[in-house]
Amino acid sequence: MRTFLHAKAMATMLRAKLAESDISITHGQSLEAVAHQFGLSDWNALSAKIKAEEDGNFRCHQISPVFRMFDETSSKYFYIDFLGFRLDWEHRFDANAPLYCQVSRGGFVLHLSGHHGDASPGSVAYVTMGAIESFQKELVAKNYKHMNPAIEDAPWGKVMVVTDPSQNRIRFCEPSED
């Protein structure tokens, strides 16, 4: 039995069956007819229902990897001064507690934690981006004494790896057009 998830196939079959009787309708008209058969006002409503079902209503608003940090000063310098991230917020449970903070730049949001157990040092985040060569030139111009990042060509695109003071790595990648 067909369900609303088969709506596009149903619309195509409807057009073909009507064409056999010399009745011509557009693809849009057939989509609207199928939506009405399912009791919905129009194709947009049915399309939204299909999309929600296919994704299982799973929606993420933000994905934030957590990197462990050991030295707040060097980590802040690396992310804010070198990479050009913005410090969004900081949190400590009390004056002697480790720092937990969020930094971000251009849609990349990262949490940094000084708390034991909040991530393993040496973690990796893979970030797809555009304009990697411009970003690399910006970093090189800062003359950071601990790193001079280079771009490497990989089968999937251009890749630049940076390593923070706690040995966490970010792999920035500008995908190839293939």
Side-chain angles (χ1 to χ4, degrees), residues 54-66:
E54 288 173 345
D55 292 346
N57 293 318
F58 181 85
R59 298 283 185 268
C60 293
H61 299 284
Q62 176 178 301
I63 299 157
S64 307
V66 178

Side-chain angles (χ1 to χ4, degrees), residues 7-84:
K8 287 185 178 180
M10 293 170 69
T12 300
M13 289 186 340
L14 174 62
R15 280 185 74 198
K17 215 50 175 155
L18 288 173
E20 289 175 8
S21 301
D22 290 328
I23 301 171
S24 178
I25 64 171
T26 67
H27 183 64
Q29 288 171 320
S30 65
L31 291 171
E32 295 292 325
V34 170
H36 289 117
Q37 289 175 336
F38 285 104
L40 296 166
S41 59
D42 57 29
W43 171 252
N44 287 336
L46 180 54
S47 179
K49 184 174 180 178
I50 292 168
K51 183 69 174 154
E53 183 71 23
E54 288 173 345
D55 292 346
N57 293 318
F58 181 85
R59 298 283 185 268
C60 293
H61 299 284
Q62 176 178 301
I63 299 157
S64 307
V66 178
F67 278 178
R68 180 73 194 276
M69 68 174 162
F70 296 107
D71 183 316
E72 294 173 16
T73 303
S74 62
S75 292
K76 281 183 175 181
Y77 183 84
F78 178 81
Y79 285 100
I80 297 166
D81 297 325
F82 177 56
L83 292 183

